Amino acid sequence: MLSYIIAYKYIGLITLAIFEGPIISVIGGCLSKLGHLELPLVIFLLVTADVISDLIYYHLGYYSAKNKTLGKLLNKKLSNKVEIFKTIWTKHFFFVVFFGKLAYGISVPIIMSAGALNIGLKKFLSYSVPISFLQTSTMVFVGYLLGEMYYIAIDYLLYPLVFFSLTLVLLIFIIYGVKLSAKKMIVK
Protein backbone atom coordinates (compact mmCIF):
# COMPACT_ATOMS: atom_id res chain seq x y z
CA MET A 1 0.00 0.00 0.00
CA LEU A 2 2.80 2.35 0.91
CA SER A 3 4.73 1.63 -2.27
CA TYR A 4 1.51 2.20 -4.26
CA ILE A 5 1.08 5.66 -2.75
CA ILE A 6 4.74 6.54 -3.27
CA ALA A 7 4.62 5.35 -6.89
CA TYR A 8 1.32 6.97 -7.88
CA LYS A 9 1.49 9.87 -5.42
CA TYR A 10 -1.78 11.78 -5.16
CA ILE A 11 -3.82 9.54 -7.46
CA GLY A 12 -2.85 6.52 -5.37
CA LEU A 13 -3.61 8.45 -2.19
CA ILE A 14 -7.14 9.49 -3.19
CA THR A 15 -8.12 6.10 -4.66
CA LEU A 16 -7.10 4.26 -1.51
CA ALA A 17 -8.57 6.92 0.77
CA ILE A 18 -12.06 6.53 -0.72
CA PHE A 19 -12.18 3.00 0.68
CA GLU A 20 -9.93 3.26 3.74
CA GLY A 21 -9.78 6.87 4.88
CA PRO A 22 -8.36 7.03 8.42
CA ILE A 23 -5.40 4.71 7.85
CA ILE A 24 -4.52 6.38 4.56
CA SER A 25 -4.78 9.77 6.31
CA VAL A 26 -2.12 8.73 8.81
CA ILE A 27 0.05 7.34 6.00
CA GLY A 28 -0.45 10.56 4.00
CA GLY A 29 0.70 12.63 6.97
CA CYS A 30 3.70 10.37 7.43
CA LEU A 31 4.66 10.66 3.76
CA SER A 32 4.25 14.44 3.97
CA LYS A 33 6.70 14.58 6.84
CA LEU A 34 9.16 12.42 4.88
CA GLY A 35 8.91 14.79 1.88
CA HIS A 36 7.10 12.49 -0.55
CA LEU A 37 3.85 14.51 -0.60
CA GLU A 38 2.79 18.11 0.02
CA LEU A 39 0.80 18.50 3.27
CA PRO A 40 -1.92 20.98 2.15
CA LEU A 41 -2.67 18.95 -0.98
CA VAL A 42 -2.77 15.74 1.06
CA ILE A 43 -5.36 17.22 3.44
CA PHE A 44 -7.45 18.56 0.55
CA LEU A 45 -7.42 15.25 -1.35
CA LEU A 46 -8.16 13.17 1.72
CA VAL A 47 -11.11 15.35 2.72
CA THR A 48 -12.36 15.11 -0.87
CA ALA A 49 -12.00 11.32 -0.78
CA ASP A 50 -13.91 11.17 2.51
CA VAL A 51 -16.75 13.26 1.08
CA ILE A 52 -16.82 11.07 -2.06
CA SER A 53 -17.12 7.94 0.08
CA ASP A 54 -19.91 9.59 2.10
CA LEU A 55 -21.73 10.37 -1.14
CA ILE A 56 -21.33 6.78 -2.34
CA TYR A 57 -22.73 5.35 0.91
CA TYR A 58 -25.51 7.94 1.05
CA HIS A 59 -26.62 7.09 -2.48
CA LEU A 60 -26.34 3.35 -1.83
CA GLY A 61 -28.81 3.80 1.03
CA TYR A 62 -31.01 6.11 -1.00
CA TYR A 63 -31.30 3.82 -4.03
CA SER A 64 -31.54 0.68 -1.92
CA ALA A 65 -34.65 2.08 -0.25
CA LYS A 66 -36.06 3.00 -3.68
CA ASN A 67 -35.43 -0.52 -5.05
CA LYS A 68 -38.78 -2.34 -5.08
CA THR A 69 -37.55 -5.70 -3.85
CA LEU A 70 -35.04 -4.42 -1.33
CA GLY A 71 -37.30 -1.56 -0.24
CA LYS A 72 -40.16 -3.97 0.51
CA LEU A 73 -37.81 -6.23 2.45
CA LEU A 74 -36.46 -3.33 4.49
CA ASN A 75 -39.94 -2.00 5.20
CA LYS A 76 -41.13 -5.46 6.20
CA LYS A 77 -38.19 -6.08 8.54
CA LEU A 78 -37.85 -2.56 9.92
CA SER A 79 -41.33 -1.08 9.58
CA ASN A 80 -41.70 -0.27 13.26
CA LYS A 81 -38.13 1.07 13.53
CA VAL A 82 -38.14 3.44 10.54
CA GLU A 83 -40.06 6.10 12.44
CA ILE A 84 -37.69 5.75 15.39
CA PHE A 85 -34.70 6.22 13.06
CA LYS A 86 -36.34 9.24 11.43
CA THR A 87 -37.04 10.78 14.84
CA ILE A 88 -33.45 10.25 15.95
CA TRP A 89 -32.11 11.75 12.72
CA THR A 90 -34.48 14.72 13.01
CA LYS A 91 -33.96 15.53 16.69
CA HIS A 92 -30.25 14.77 16.96
CA PHE A 93 -28.96 15.40 13.45
CA PHE A 94 -25.58 16.85 14.41
CA PHE A 95 -24.79 14.12 16.92
CA VAL A 96 -25.82 11.33 14.56
CA VAL A 97 -23.61 12.71 11.80
CA PHE A 98 -20.75 13.54 14.17
CA PHE A 99 -20.59 10.24 16.03
CA GLY A 100 -21.64 8.30 12.95
CA LYS A 101 -18.65 9.54 11.00
CA LEU A 102 -16.26 9.03 13.90
CA ALA A 103 -17.53 5.56 14.81
CA TYR A 104 -15.12 3.45 12.81
CA GLY A 105 -16.92 0.37 11.51
CA ILE A 106 -20.51 1.55 11.85
CA SER A 107 -20.20 4.78 9.92
CA VAL A 108 -21.21 3.08 6.66
CA PRO A 109 -24.65 1.90 7.88
CA ILE A 110 -25.28 5.23 9.57
CA ILE A 111 -24.52 7.17 6.39
CA MET A 112 -26.56 4.67 4.34
CA SER A 113 -29.47 5.15 6.75
CA ALA A 114 -29.38 8.88 6.01
CA GLY A 115 -29.90 8.09 2.33
CA ALA A 116 -32.48 5.39 2.98
CA LEU A 117 -34.53 7.70 5.19
CA ASN A 118 -34.30 10.42 2.54
CA ILE A 119 -32.50 12.87 4.80
CA GLY A 120 -31.63 15.92 2.73
CA LEU A 121 -28.30 15.54 0.95
CA LYS A 122 -27.40 19.25 1.22
CA LYS A 123 -28.10 19.25 4.94
CA PHE A 124 -26.16 16.02 5.39
CA LEU A 125 -23.15 17.40 3.49
CA SER A 126 -23.29 20.71 5.36
CA TYR A 127 -22.54 18.78 8.55
CA SER A 128 -20.45 15.98 7.05
CA VAL A 129 -17.86 18.09 5.22
CA PRO A 130 -16.65 20.09 8.28
CA ILE A 131 -16.55 16.90 10.35
CA SER A 132 -14.57 15.20 7.56
CA PHE A 133 -12.15 18.11 7.55
CA LEU A 134 -11.59 17.92 11.32
CA GLN A 135 -11.29 14.13 11.36
CA THR A 136 -8.96 13.95 8.36
CA SER A 137 -6.80 16.84 9.53
CA THR A 138 -6.37 15.20 12.92
CA MET A 139 -5.38 11.87 11.39
CA VAL A 140 -2.95 13.55 8.95
CA PHE A 141 -1.46 15.51 11.87
CA VAL A 142 -0.92 12.26 13.81
CA GLY A 143 0.78 10.75 10.76
CA TYR A 144 2.88 13.88 10.33
CA LEU A 145 4.06 13.70 13.94
CA LEU A 146 4.86 10.01 13.57
CA GLY A 147 6.53 10.50 10.19
CA GLU A 148 10.09 10.13 11.36
CA MET A 149 9.16 7.14 13.47
CA TYR A 150 8.28 5.21 10.30
CA TYR A 151 11.83 4.11 9.58
CA ILE A 152 12.23 2.89 13.14
CA ALA A 153 8.82 1.18 13.27
CA ILE A 154 9.12 -0.56 9.90
CA ASP A 155 12.01 -2.66 11.21
CA TYR A 156 9.85 -3.91 14.06
CA LEU A 157 6.75 -4.40 11.91
CA LEU A 158 8.42 -6.11 8.96
CA TYR A 159 9.31 -9.40 10.66
CA PRO A 160 5.90 -10.01 12.31
CA LEU A 161 4.22 -9.10 9.01
CA VAL A 162 6.33 -11.60 7.08
CA PHE A 163 5.69 -14.25 9.75
CA PHE A 164 1.94 -13.59 9.65
CA SER A 165 1.87 -13.75 5.85
CA LEU A 166 3.79 -17.02 5.71
CA THR A 167 1.59 -18.51 8.42
CA LEU A 168 -1.52 -17.50 6.50
CA VAL A 169 -0.22 -19.06 3.27
CA LEU A 170 0.70 -22.24 5.16
CA LEU A 171 -2.78 -22.42 6.72
CA ILE A 172 -4.40 -22.02 3.32
CA PHE A 173 -2.34 -24.89 1.95
CA ILE A 174 -3.17 -27.07 4.96
CA ILE A 175 -6.90 -26.36 4.68
CA TYR A 176 -6.83 -27.02 0.94
CA GLY A 177 -4.93 -30.27 1.50
CA VAL A 178 -7.39 -31.43 4.16
CA LYS A 179 -10.34 -30.67 1.89
CA LEU A 180 -8.70 -32.49 -1.01
CA SER A 181 -7.94 -35.57 1.06
CA ALA A 182 -11.45 -35.53 2.54
CA LYS A 183 -12.94 -35.49 -0.96
CA LYS A 184 -10.75 -38.44 -1.96
CA MET A 185 -11.84 -40.39 1.12
CA ILE A 186 -15.50 -39.70 0.37
CA VAL A 187 -15.12 -40.82 -3.26
CA LYS A 188 -13.58 -44.16 -2.15
Side-chain angles (χ1 to χ4, degrees):
M1 181 171 14
L2 190 58
S3 58
Y4 178 78
I5 296 173
I6 291 173
Y8 295 103
K9 302 267 183 203
Y10 302 105
I11 293 172
L13 185 76
I14 196 167
T15 54
L16 289 173
I18 288 172
F19 301 105
E20 189 51 58
I23 293 170
I24 301 301
S25 297
V26 173
I27 291 172
C30 178
L31 291 174
S32 294
K33 177 68 173 188
L34 297 174
H36 293 286
L37 302 171
E38 296 295 322
L39 186 64
L41 190 55
V42 165
I43 292 172
F44 173 75
L45 290 175
L46 290 172
V47 170
T48 303
D50 194 34
V51 172
I52 289 169
S53 67
D54 287 351
L55 286 169
I56 290 169
Y57 297 135
Y58 179 92
H59 282 93
L60 276 173
Y62 181 80
Y63 289 110
S64 295
K66 297 260 184 224
N67 183 304
K68 290 181 181 178
T69 308
L70 192 57
K72 285 181 183 177
L73 178 67
L74 289 173
N75 284 333
K76 186 177 178 183
K77 296 281 184 187
L78 302 172
S79 61
N80 59 340
K81 294 176 180 61
V82 171
E83 289 305 317
I84 295 170
F85 288 136
K86 279 188 178 183
T87 304
I88 291 171
W89 268 103
T90 306
K91 288 185 177 181
H92 308 288
F93 192 85
F94 172 76
F95 293 108
V96 173
V97 175
F98 183 76
F99 290 114
K101 286 197 54 67
L102 296 180
Y104 193 69
I106 64 167
S107 62
V108 172
I110 290 174
I111 294 169
M112 286 179 71
S113 73
L117 295 172
N118 205 9
I119 304 295
L121 180 60
K122 286 182 183 178
K123 183 177 180 184
F124 175 76
L125 286 176
S126 70
Y127 285 84
S128 177
V129 171
I131 294 168
S132 291
F133 178 77
L134 288 172
Q135 179 186 19
T136 302
S137 298
T138 303
M139 298 303 275
V140 168
F141 182 67
V142 167
Y144 191 82
L145 291 177
L146 298 175
E148 292 183 15
M149 299 296 292
Y150 168 75
Y151 290 115
I152 297 168
I154 196 66
D155 292 335
Y156 293 105
L157 294 174
L158 184 61
Y159 296 114
L161 184 61
V162 169
F163 175 75
F164 175 75
S165 300
L166 290 175
T167 305
L168 186 63
V169 169
L170 182 65
L171 280 171
I172 290 170
F173 279 123
I174 290 171
I175 291 170
Y176 180 73
V178 168
K179 279 185 168 183
L180 200 61
S181 63
K183 283 182 180 180
K184 286 181 181 179
M185 292 172 81
I186 291 173
V187 171
K188 289 179 183 181

